[in-house]
């Protein structure tokens, strides 16, 4: 029985999130804090490979510390690209493919 492409994508994201949590030492339920949930939500946002603004990332994190969670994802080994938006002080980010 084959899985749908959406189910396969969801499973791949869950596996990546587990590896991230393991690299950051988040191995117990107690460690799965709001920060870990925010990282997971940001990773889910970036998983589409499209560019996302800092506003979108902060919204996904439900805080103004979305870029901090983004740095934690980078520290855990994800390759996240960043660039400055044209004619704007804003930056945007995406998960490299």
């Amino acid at each position: 029985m084959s899985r749908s492409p959406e189910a396969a994508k969801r499973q791949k994201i869950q596996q990546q999130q587990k590896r991230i949590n393991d690299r950051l030492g988040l191995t117990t339920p107690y460690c799965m804090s709001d920060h870990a949930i925010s990282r997971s939500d940001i990773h889910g946002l970036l998983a589409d490979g499209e560019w996302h603004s800092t506003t979108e990332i902060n919204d996904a994190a439900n805080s103004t510390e979305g870029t901090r969670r983004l740095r934690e994802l980078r520290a855990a080994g994800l390759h996240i690209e960043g660039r400055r938006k044209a004619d704007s002080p804003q930056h945007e980010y995406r998960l490299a493919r």
Side-chain angles (χ1 to χ4, degrees), residues 40-61:
S40 177
D41 291 342
I42 291 169
H43 182 252
L45 173 70
L46 297 176
D48 65 2
E50 299 296 320
W51 290 100
H52 296 279
S53 70
T54 52
T55 302
E56 290 175 279
I57 291 167
N58 286 335
D59 288 347

Side-chain angles (χ1 to χ4, degrees), residues 21-83:
N21 289 339
D22 290 346
R23 287 181 190 160
L24 293 173
L26 304 173
T27 56
T28 67
Y30 178 76
C31 293
M32 293 302 291
S33 66
D34 291 341
H35 295 194
I37 293 167
S38 293
R39 279 190 299 274
S40 177
D41 291 342
I42 291 169
H43 182 252
L45 173 70
L46 297 176
D48 65 2
E50 299 296 320
W51 290 100
H52 296 279
S53 70
T54 52
T55 302
E56 290 175 279
I57 291 167
N58 286 335
D59 288 347
N62 289 319
S63 78
T64 58
E65 295 192 353
T67 52
R68 179 176 289 181
R69 305 290 85 82
L70 196 66
R71 287 191 299 274
E72 291 170 355
L73 290 171
R74 281 180 169 156
L78 288 182
H79 183 69
I80 298 171
E81 299 175 330
R83 69 180 184 189

